[in-house]
């Protein structure tokens, strides 16, 4: 069986209406990263940081998965555990499209993390009012998203899958943030064929074997059709 690892970034959700980070209308525009996405920002001004993520979480109610998310879910139904999706996105559009074998390496908007007891409960309400942790009762919840300077989740699992992959596919990510940006070189070093599906060529460390440019909502379903025809 062909083993596939698909790395996704903000570009896969752009056509659903979730802003990317670095585009002209990007999410960081108007916000300095260090004011909203670092542990120091949270210590300095927790209310601003919590409100920033509360807004992002609320915005998820108004968006839906697009054909790129649903095509990847269709591929998983066909090939099962031979496909691992590693997303840098904190939205829940892959799950809502039906994907199950998924790693949220930068965390999830719809999850909180308790700074007192370490619980990571599913969470859909605002955090700025400082609600109590459902496990320990302390009012020390933060969004369960990975901030700059923090360690992404499940790196061992991801690296094992990347080195074992026959095909590594990068979708809608600029290649600006490590360790995710390094996975293409790691996959290639271990013999994987590398594919990029992006609106424009990214700043990848090494050239992809196959780089296709265009919107994810058309490129991804077309690529999934090809893989399924080839009987991956
Ligand atoms: P970026 O905003 O850096 O990059 C988005 C990428 O998507 C760019 O390469 C665009 O060309 C591409 N893109 C935009 N629209 C697209 C479309 N319709 N179809 C296909 N591609 C499209 O977002 P990420 O690479 O995901 O981390 O950013 C990586 C990390 O940086 C994020 O997870 C976040 C951020 O800081 C943390 O917050 C820790």
């Amino acid at each position: 069986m062909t083993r596939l690892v698909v790395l996704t970034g903000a570009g896969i959700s752009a056509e659903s209406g979730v802003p990317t980070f670095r585009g002209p209308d990007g999410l960081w525009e108007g916000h300095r990263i260090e004011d909203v996405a670092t542990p120091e920002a949270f210590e300095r001004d927790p209310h601003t940081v919590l409100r920033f993520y509360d807004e992002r979480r609320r915005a998820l109610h108004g968006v839906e998965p697009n054909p790129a998310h649903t095509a990847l879910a269709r591929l998983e139904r066909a090939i099962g555990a031979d496909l691992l999706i590693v997303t840098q996105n904190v939205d829940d559009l892959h799950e809502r499209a039906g994907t199950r074998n998924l790693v949220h390496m930068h965390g999830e908007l719809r999850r909180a993390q308790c700074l007192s007891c370490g619980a990571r409960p599913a969470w859909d309400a605002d955090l700025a009012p400082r609600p109590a942790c459902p496990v320990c009762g302390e009012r020390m919840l933060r969004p369960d998203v990975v901030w700059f300077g923090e360690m992404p989740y499940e790196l061992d699992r991801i690296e094992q899958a990347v080195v074992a992959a026959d095909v590594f596919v990068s979708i809608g990510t600029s290649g600006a943030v490590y360790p995710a940006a390094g996975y293409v070189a790691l996959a290639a070093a271990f013999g994987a064929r590398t594919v990029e599906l992006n609106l424009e060529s990214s700043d990848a460390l090494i050239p992809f074997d196959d780089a296709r440019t265009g919107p994810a909502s058309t490129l991804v379903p077309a690529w999934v059709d090809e893989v399924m025809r080839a009987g991956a």
Side-chain angles (χ1 to χ4, degrees):
M1 283 301 258
T2 306
R3 282 163 297 188
L4 293 106
V5 172
V6 173
L7 173 70
T8 67
I12 197 168
S13 297
E15 290 162 86
S16 294
V18 180
T20 60
F21 290 92
R22 294 178 180 78
D25 306 317
L27 179 55
W28 298 135
E29 199 132 295
H31 297 275
R32 296 188 325 150
I33 292 175
E34 54 271 33
D35 287 341
V36 289
T38 64
E40 294 76 22
F42 185 61
E43 264 174 44
R44 212 171 33 236
D45 184 358
H47 192 71
T48 297
V49 172
L50 293 173
R51 270 212 350 243
F52 175 79
Y53 289 97
D54 285 348
E55 275 171 34
R56 309 268 85 73
R57 190 182 311 98
R58 281 195 213 152
L60 294 183
H61 291 284
V63 301
E64 296 290 337
N66 68 54
H69 300 101
T70 50
L72 291 177
R74 178 161 57 92
L75 184 58
E76 184 188 274
R77 282 196 297 279
I79 70 171
D82 288 323
L83 170 65
L84 176 67
I85 296 183
V86 177
T87 189
Q88 298 166 85
N89 298 343
V90 293
D91 67 50
D92 59 350
L93 295 178
H94 282 301
E95 298 85 315
R96 277 157 63 189
T99 290
R100 295 290 166 261
N101 202 20
L102 174 70
V103 177
H104 271 284
M105 66 180 294
H106 290 167
E108 296 169 66
L109 278 172
R110 282 189 161 151
R111 197 168 286 285
Q113 186 192 126
C114 178
L115 292 168
S116 180
C117 74
R120 293 172 59 203
W123 199 266
D124 209 23
D126 285 352
L127 289 170
R130 310 311 297 258
C133 169
V135 178
C136 73
E138 295 292 332
R139 297 182 180 275
M140 291 183 69
L141 294 172
R142 56 165 273 185
D144 191 24
V145 299
V146 174
W147 287 326
F148 286 89
E150 296 183 325
M151 191 66 93
Y153 287 121
E154 298 199 62
L155 293 183
D156 287 349
R157 178 179 173 203
I158 298 169
E159 280 168 24
Q160 278 169 22
V162 169
V163 302
D166 301 300
V167 181
F168 175 85
V169 188
S170 172
I171 303 174
T173 176
S174 61
V177 172
Y178 284 82
Y183 290 148
V184 57
L186 183 65
F190 280 83
R193 201 169 83 81
T194 58
V195 180
E196 174 169 63
L197 309 176
N198 200 312
L199 204 52
E200 54 195 29
S201 285
S202 67
D203 310 324
L205 267 185
I206 59 157
F208 284 83
D209 296 320
D210 179 359
R212 306 180 189 182
T213 50
S217 65
T218 53
L219 287 185
V220 178
W223 173 78
V224 166
D225 287 345
E226 270 174 44
V227 173
M228 289 182 47
R229 268 199 304 274

